[in-house]
Amino acid sequence: MLKSGFDSIGPALFVAASIGALLPNMATACVPRLVMPAELAIITLVPDGDGRVSSEINFAWRGCAEATRYHLYAIGMNAFNPIINERELTSATYRYRGTFHPGGETNWLWKVRAYADGEWGEWSSIRVWQQFSE
């Protein structure tokens, strides 16, 4: 007599195996882990002669082997528009070069998500960094 999949592995394992077959990306989902800037990192900016501040900020995260690209998003806590909204990054690092106004936004949020198996995964946790002018 032939046994069904249910009979041969038991009800709990059969259900788990069936869900895994229907939702294969659930088991292999990739959520990047943020590395730098670290949580509550403080970046000190030095103004140039025209009253603005040029800055370089290095971002890094632990990527996923199956990811083909990453989406990095960074925005000021009180801003409407992000300073970074890059969806086509192919490595787990990014160097931002920008100009800031002294006395402007000081608290910034950033997060990353990975594109794998034809779809975007969940966002990473959110980290905050702070910038201050001398």
Side-chain angles (χ1 to χ4, degrees):
M1 177 172 129
L2 292 174
K3 291 186 174 187
S4 70
F6 179 85
D7 293 331
S8 63
I9 64 173
L13 288 176
F14 181 77
V15 170
S18 299
I19 291 171
L22 294 173
L23 304 170
N25 291 335
M26 294 296 286
T28 61
C30 167
V31 179
R33 296 173 119 193
L34 306 181
V35 176
M36 73 177 197
E39 181 67 20
L40 297 177
I42 296 174
I43 299 172
T44 302
L45 307 173
V46 180
D48 56 20
D50 66 0
R52 291 189 288 176
V53 179
S54 295
S55 178
E56 274 189 12
I57 303 169
N58 293 307
F59 293 87
W61 54 92
R62 287 193 187 122
C64 308
E66 64 273 10
T68 55
R69 66 183 187 252
Y70 298 96
H71 181 183
L72 170 61
Y73 185 88
I75 190 167
M77 281 189 168
N78 297 310
F80 292 106
N81 297 310
I83 60 166
I84 303 169
N85 192 15
E86 295 287 339
R87 298 172 191 248
E88 300 295 327
L89 301 175
T90 56
S91 72
T93 61
Y94 181 77
R95 176 174 288 161
Y96 174 78
R97 291 182 177 108
T99 302
F100 298 91
H101 297 280
E105 185 69 56
T106 57
N107 295 301
W108 299 85
L109 308 171
W110 72 287
K111 61 185 179 178
V112 177
R113 63 183 176 164
Y115 187 85
D117 299 324
E119 64 186 19
W120 287 106
E122 292 183 37
W123 287 103
S124 66
S125 59
I126 295 173
R127 279 215 180 148
V128 176
W129 88 88
Q130 297 176 316
Q131 290 185 174
F132 297 99
S133 301
E134 284 189 343

